Amino acid sequence: VQLQASGGGLVQAGGSLILSCAASGNFWRIDAMAWYRQAPGSQRELVAHIPLRGTTNYADSVKGRFTISRDNAKNTVYLQMNSLKPEDTAVYYCYAKVRLKATVLQQTDYWGQGTLVTVSS
């Protein structure tokens, strides 16, 4: 399973970006998808999480500004980021919890390669 993220870049404070991450490979189902981020010198942190069914969850620091969504037909997760702040600068990683066709009862975690978001003040 491969996760290909795109959409990062340089934006001024107050601006917007949308990240996308497409999953490909031989799997049965993607149960949950999420976006994490890691700023220089910091640990990787959860930004937003979206299950196959149920409610989405957000880090307190992005609530009201970021929106996570998914297109199950395209096996793609999106992160709409509005009102960006310099402290949002980080490498953003997509994540998927996947059930493979060979091991349907087992969930496996996969990570994308990361995309850099830089917010200038």
Side-chain angles (χ1 to χ4, degrees), residues 46-57:
L46 176 67
V47 175
H49 175 273
I50 183 168
L52 182 62
R53 284 176 287 273
T55 57
T56 55
N57 292 290

Side-chain angles (χ1 to χ4, degrees), residues 12-31:
Q12 288 188 329
S16 297
L17 278 176
I18 183 165
L19 306 182
S20 63
C21 177
S24 61
N26 190 24
F27 54 87
W28 180 61
R29 190 179 74 188
I30 301 175
D31 283 352

Side-chain angles (χ1 to χ4, degrees), residues 62-110:
V62 307
K63 283 181 181 176
R65 300 188 298 122
F66 291 10
T67 302
I68 189 171
S69 61
R70 61 188 285 179
D71 184 334
N72 293 326
K74 296 182 179 180
N75 297 315
T76 299
V77 61
Y78 304 94
L79 186 68
Q80 175 70 51
M81 304 184 293
N82 298 327
S83 302
L84 283 161
K85 304 175 181 180
E87 50 263 44
D88 294 318
T89 295
V91 177
Y92 284 70
Y93 298 90
C94 62
Y95 160 89
K97 187 177 291 291
V98 177
R99 294 184 188 268
L100 303 176
K101 290 181 179 179
T103 56
V104 171
L105 297 180
Q106 179 179 330
Q107 294 175 319
T108 305
D109 297 336
Y110 290 91

